[in-house]
Structure formats: structure tokens, C-alpha cells
Amino acid sequence: MNLFRKFFGAASEGSHEDKEGELSPYHPEPKMPIDELFTYNFKKNGGKFLYCENLNEVHENFESILEENDWFEKETMCLEPKLFSLLDENKLNHTNPKNPIFLLASCENLIADEGSILFSSNQIKQFKPNDLPSHIVILATTSQIIGNKSDGLREIKKRYDKEYPTNITTFKYFEKAKEEDFLQYGSCPKNLYLLLLEDL
């Protein structure tokens, strides 16, 4: 939890370091640990981040998300049987939903350098981002954080030796841009919650 302290508070420390950084624009940026880099970029993109030390905290935080959004006893989309129990214990219908409120999914990896989430057909089948609900809850682990997309593609290749998944895509924008940004053109921003379970 200490790794994330500077993102959740303790803003007063480091003022001396900030001044040092301002002295020379040619000074190289200090290298951030990969988990801090992901957290920083993910939150900058508008993602909502909930750190969980164990499975009990995953269940508690998931219930808090449901309560905050009034999603109890609503229809939801979930395409992974391993996650059905989390929905069933909260009385959420995931069988042939007609109008799902949110998607519950895992992911392939968390991409640190851009704060994005890497998915494949294992989590979202052949659905395109526009076809998925606008609210998404992701369950991932700290060991899934990797440096960049190339690392993510290598991991997928290694993990799925024979049955290589399709529909590999990243979600990067988790809120609508306040001003028109050409980088977001054609993207479909999602209201995204990440339940990140410590497993290292």
C-alpha cells in the first residue's frame, strides 16, 4: 500500500525534489516503479482505482461500487464463468441480459506507460468497445502490470501457446475529454473501475 501513498495523499512531501527538477529542463526524468507509473497514468486517464490486499477486500470494494451506483439486482454483462460467483452473490442477472448496466471482466494486462487496459476475446469475445456497456468493472492483479503494449503482446503469445486469442484491444480513456482532443478521436470513453488485487 506504501507504493501508492503519493497518489492518495502525502502531497506535501517532495517539494524540494520538485524545485530540483525545475532547475534543468535537460535533467532526465527519474524512473518511476512500474506499478506507480501505471497507477499515475491510469488515474490521469480518468480511471477509478481500488487497491485490494486480499479477496475479502475485492468483495467489499465490489459491493461499494454497486452501492455507489445503485446497481444491485440489475442486469450485467459478464463473459467469463470464473467471475459469475461475484455476480451471483450480489443477485446480479448475467444470463442473456437485454440491457446490461455494466460489464464485469478480467483483462490480459495493465499497460504502465499509457495507463491502459489490454483485453482479448477471452474477456470481451468479439465485442467492439462501442458494443459494450459504458460502465466497466475490471478485476486484475498487480502481477499483470507490464511496461508497454509490446510487452503485453509478448505475454499473450507466451500465455496462449496454441489457442491465440483474437480481438486484442486496449481501453485507454475512462472519461469524456473536457475539450476536444484529437488523440481521443474515434475512441469510446468508459466509466471504468479497477479492482487491483495484490498478488506479489
Side-chain angles (χ1 to χ4, degrees):
M1 193 87 165
N2 293 343
L3 302 170
F4 305 107
R5 189 184 303 144
K6 75 159 129 186
F7 299 110
F8 298 113
S12 60
E13 64 184 7
S15 57
H16 178 67
E17 291 169 10
D18 291 344
K19 284 180 186 159
E20 274 183 7
E22 288 173 21
L23 292 178
S24 171
Y26 307 106
H27 189 268
E29 295 238 349
K31 195 158 169 124
M32 224 186 253
I34 198 166
D35 49 357
E36 287 186 28
L37 181 63
F38 170 76
T39 307
Y40 174 78
N41 287 328
F42 178 75
K43 289 181 72 179
K44 192 172 78 174
N45 292 342
K48 297 173 184 79
F49 173 84
L50 294 145
Y51 177 78
C52 308
E53 289 186 349
N54 53 51
L55 283 172
N56 283 344
E57 286 189 14
V58 169
H59 288 261
E60 286 169 19
N61 285 327
F62 182 65
E63 284 181 26
S64 296
I65 292 169
L66 296 178
E67 195 173 325
E68 178 186 320
N69 294 285
D70 193 21
W71 288 343
F72 285 107
E73 299 185 20
K74 297 274 177 27
E75 285 191 321
T76 185
M77 177 187 275
C78 183
L79 306 167
E80 300 169 82
K82 66 182 179 183
L83 300 177
F84 288 171
S85 62
L86 195 56
L87 297 171
D88 292 336
E89 70 188 38
N90 288 290
K91 297 181 180 156
L92 292 160
N93 177 27
H94 53 85
T95 312
N96 301 320
K98 288 180 175 53
N99 190 20
I101 296 292
F102 71 96
L103 166 72
L104 175 66
S106 64
C107 64
E108 294 295 342
N109 286 106
L110 306 170
I111 312 294
D113 72 345
E114 60 180 33
S116 64
I117 304 199
L118 183 66
F119 295 98
S120 77
S121 54
N122 291 325
Q123 295 86 37
I124 58 173
K125 303 294 183 211
Q126 298 309 317
F127 286 96
K128 299 289 174 239
N130 288 337
D131 302 327
L132 295 169
S134 56
H135 305 287
I136 298 178
V137 179
I138 300 300
L139 179 57
T141 59
T142 50
S143 62
Q144 288 178 281
I145 301 174
I146 53 168
N148 54 48
K149 276 188 205 166
S150 298
D151 294 338
L153 295 174
R154 270 192 295 277
E155 283 288 314
I156 288 175
K157 224 170 190 176
K158 213 185 314 174
R159 194 177 304 138
Y160 305 105
D161 197 22
K162 293 189 171 72
E163 290 187 31
Y164 197 69
T166 57
N167 198 20
I168 296 168
T169 186
T170 57
F171 288 12
K172 182 176 176 182
Y173 300 107
F174 310 119
E175 64 183 2
K176 207 155 182 61
K178 291 169 186 72
E179 297 172 19
E180 282 302 312
D181 179 357
F182 79 95
L183 293 174
Q184 288 193 32
Y185 184 77
S187 70
C188 180
K190 300 291 182 183
N191 175 32
L192 195 138
Y193 292 87
L194 173 63
L195 295 167
L196 186 64
L197 175 62
E198 176 64 65
D199 71 339
L200 293 173

